[in-house]
Amino acid sequence: MTKKSRKMWKKALCLIFAFLLSINSFAAVVSDNDGSAFITKAEFDSLKNDFQSQLDSYNTNIDNKIDDAIASYLAGIDIKAKRELPSILNNAGQKFISSNSCGFVSTSKGTYKRYFINIGVCTGGAASDGNYLTQLQYLTGGINAPAWKTQNSAKYGVFYYGTSPNSGEYYVKKYMKAYPYAAVAGVMTDGRNEGTTTTFTIPNKTFTSSNADAFGAGNDTWEINVGKAYTVNVVKTYGVEDVFTSIEQDYLTGYALADATQYFVSEDDINKPGSQYWDCNNDACGYEIQSAGKGWTTLTNNNTKLRVYNHYYYSMNRLEILNEKLTGIMNENVYYYNGCPIFKTDDKDGKIKLKLHIVNSGNYPTVFQIKKDKFDNSTIPENGKTSDYKWNEVIKVDSTATGVDVSLDFDVKKKEVYWIKARPLYTPSGTVTEFTYPSIITTTKIEFEEER
């Protein structure tokens, strides 16, 4: 504080004390020459104005600080109330197509079978007696030339392949073309053979299988009257040659899936034979007496029971195929026609500002719709709104290879999941399939503002 200021405050104090001591003389006129202990009215007014100015300045300072504190507080509330929600849609990485099969082929049990039979007794050397047996065979193929035989080569079985966590639920990762086969072989060689009856028995316990009893069709027996009885131990094999093809897993359809019965083989049962089989007969059954020069004699009493078995399968519906990735993310059953979840709100009601980015490399339009909850097995219509979008209506955009953006604002309730179902609009032809130009939809903004 300056010397002049101190002097002014001193005079002000004196004036106050004089006022208190002599209220009645307050209005007395003071001369300019009355001494330094008194101030003039002009000086008093100046002091009062200075005091008021400082007081106003202090009040203004306090008001500004209060305003700043309130603004900071309110800004903090806004930051808390507005936040970005995680994008389930981006995490899922699904592509949208327009297909009534979604890459799942039609299945069939098929009638393909391939089999091989070669059972016989062969002897060496000739004899003067024509009753000596030198050869006896049951076989597929020409005489002395056993070979595989194939029937219905183009009618192979087609099965879905995967796992089944519960009844009526299926995870399908592949489909397979199944080519069942069976074979039996056993040839015994010996010297001179005499007798009037020969019996060959095929024991059904010699199967090379995890479950030999499944082929318990009874022992197969053929009898001829040309020599001594002998038993031929044989090896009987069967199986299915499978050709696997992977199924596109990250595609969802905006079209209704075809409701059709399909056939499914579980990973756990891939080596288990089913109840479907085909009986197979040998092409040649006969014998030859070498010493008599009799030549090959065909027999007609053969009763081969070699069987070709297909896979152990389940009958299912294509609509029961689960999307394994989305089912895992959502911890609930999600099928390929349900669409894809976009986001989930938390424990507050509020508003959503949603921004979608839609890409189609073929520059084909995309139609889509958003719903609260999963979609049923229905088709998204081709016609939709092209402007003034509302979040729950069908929307149609001219999606391009670089992408277009769609912004939507709407109210949401707490703990709700919002889903999207979409499809591109083009007709597959030739090498262009439903997978050629999928529409890819991602979120670039999911801003949630709490309701106050």
Side-chain angles (χ1 to χ4, degrees):
M1 184 179 291
T2 64
K3 185 176 182 180
K4 183 177 180 180
S5 298
R6 287 196 299 271
K7 186 177 180 181
M8 291 177 66
W9 280 106
K10 183 177 180 182
K11 290 180 178 180
L13 290 173
C14 290
L15 180 62
I16 292 169
F17 288 138
F19 174 75
L20 294 173
L21 292 173
S22 177
I23 296 174
N24 292 334
S25 62
F26 178 75
V29 176
V30 180
S31 171
D32 289 341
N33 298 320
D34 284 344
S36 61
F38 296 92
I39 62 172
T40 66
K41 185 176 185 300
E43 288 176 327
F44 177 80
D45 290 337
S46 176
L47 287 172
K48 184 175 69 172
N49 290 337
D50 286 345
F51 181 79
Q52 186 63 46
S53 295
Q54 289 190 34
L55 185 62
D56 291 342
S57 177
Y58 293 150
N59 287 336
T60 301
N61 241 351
I62 291 171
D63 288 342
N64 289 338
K65 288 182 178 179
I66 292 173
D67 289 342
D68 289 341
I70 293 173
S72 297
Y73 176 74
L74 293 176
I77 292 177
D78 284 342
I79 292 172
K80 182 179 179 181
K82 292 182 180 180
R83 56 185 175 274
E84 286 285 323
L85 296 181
S87 176
I88 304 174
L89 179 66
N90 292 356
N91 182 37
Q94 303 289 293
K95 305 177 185 69
F96 294 92
I97 60 175
S98 184
S99 170
N100 68 351
S101 67
C102 206
F104 296 100
V105 300
S106 295
T107 61
S108 63
K109 292 177 284 188
T111 57
Y112 174 96
K113 59 182 176 180
R114 185 165 60 97
Y115 55 98
F116 175 93
I117 301 173
N118 183 23
I119 308 169
V121 175
C122 300
T123 62
S128 57
D129 188 340
N131 290 326
Y132 286 110
L133 176 65
T134 59
Q135 179 175 304
L136 172 67
Q137 275 191 313
Y138 304 83
L139 54 88
T140 53
I143 297 172
N144 293 327
W148 284 96
K149 184 172 183 179
T150 301
Q151 293 184 1
N152 302 323
S153 59
K155 296 181 179 179
Y156 46 80
V158 179
F159 298 89
Y160 294 153
Y161 175 76
T163 59
S164 180
N166 293 295
S167 176
E169 300 173 2
Y170 301 90
Y171 292 128
V172 174
K173 302 177 181 179
K174 301 177 181 179
Y175 69 89
M176 59 185 183
K177 297 177 181 179
Y179 301 88
Y181 65 87
V184 60
V187 178
M188 183 194 72
T189 60
D190 202 315
R192 296 161 59 95
N193 293 299
E194 297 179 351
T196 58
T197 302
T198 301
T199 301
F200 302 96
T201 300
I202 305 172
N204 61 9
K205 297 297 184 183
T206 58
F207 300 166
T208 56
S209 167
S210 60
N211 182 10
D213 291 334
F215 286 75
N219 291 342
D220 299 336
T221 302
W222 302 285
E223 295 182 0
I224 57 173
N225 297 320
V226 289
K228 188 176 180 180
Y230 282 90
T231 298
V232 179
N233 293 319
V234 302
V235 175
K236 193 171 184 179
T237 66
Y238 69 92
V240 181
E241 291 182 9
D242 295 316
V243 178
F244 291 92
T245 301
S246 296
I247 296 175
E248 300 286 356
Q249 294 291 294
D250 293 329
Y251 289 85
L252 301 177
T253 182
Y255 207 88
L257 282 179
D259 183 353
T261 300
Q262 305 292 317
Y263 302 109
F264 172 87
V265 174
S266 170
E267 289 179 355
D268 296 334
D269 298 327
I270 189 65
N271 292 317
K272 181 179 179 180
S275 59
Q276 181 186 10
Y277 63 87
W278 301 274
D279 283 326
C280 300
N281 295 319
N282 51 294
D283 292 341
C285 177
Y287 65 94
E288 179 181 22
I289 305 289
Q290 181 179 354
S291 60
K294 187 173 182 179
W296 185 262
T297 299
T298 300
L299 303 176
T300 59
N301 63 340
N302 57 305
N303 60 343
T304 303
K305 294 182 181 178
L306 177 63
R307 289 177 171 178
V308 178
Y309 283 80
N310 211 333
H311 281 294
Y312 183 88
Y313 63 87
Y314 300 89
S315 294
M316 57 164 287
N317 195 297
R318 185 180 287 155
L319 304 185
E320 298 174 323
I321 300 175
L322 292 168
N323 184 304
E324 186 170 6
K325 188 171 186 178
L326 292 183
T327 296
I329 290 174
M330 300 305 295
N331 197 29
E332 63 178 291
N333 289 351
V334 181
Y335 300 93
Y336 280 85
Y337 56 81
N338 284 147
C340 185
I342 309 172
F343 64 89
K344 181 179 181 179
T345 59
D346 51 23
D347 57 352
K348 302 285 186 181
D349 297 344
K351 294 181 180 295
I352 282 289
K353 292 184 180 294
L354 175 65
K355 192 171 183 178
L356 301 172
H357 188 67
I358 305 171
V359 175
N360 186 282
S361 60
N363 298 306
Y364 288 103
T366 299
V367 288
F368 70 91
Q369 187 176 10
I370 296 174
K371 282 182 62 177
K372 183 183 65 177
D373 209 353
K374 295 179 284 191
F375 287 80
D376 57 15
N377 188 34
S378 58
T379 300
I380 300 296
E382 292 191 5
N383 296 320
K385 294 193 69 173
T386 57
S387 62
D388 300 325
Y389 305 134
K390 293 183 179 179
W391 72 273
N392 57 350
E393 296 180 334
V394 177
I395 296 173
K396 181 178 181 180
V397 296
D398 292 325
S399 44
T400 64
T402 56
V404 295
D405 295 317
V406 174
S407 297
L408 298 164
D409 297 347
F410 51 97
D411 295 331
V412 295
K413 297 294 184 181
K414 61 183 179 182
K415 297 183 179 179
E416 291 181 331
V417 180
Y418 287 81
W419 296 67
I420 186 169
K421 188 171 183 177
R423 67 185 182 106
L425 300 179
Y426 70 91
T427 303
S429 177
T431 58
V432 176
T433 71
E434 63 263 44
F435 296 100
T436 306
Y437 300 114
S439 290
I440 301 172
I441 304 178
T442 55
T443 64
T444 56
K445 184 177 185 179
I446 312 176
E447 184 182 81
F448 173 70
E449 182 178 357
E450 291 181 9
E451 184 179 273
R452 299 182 193 172

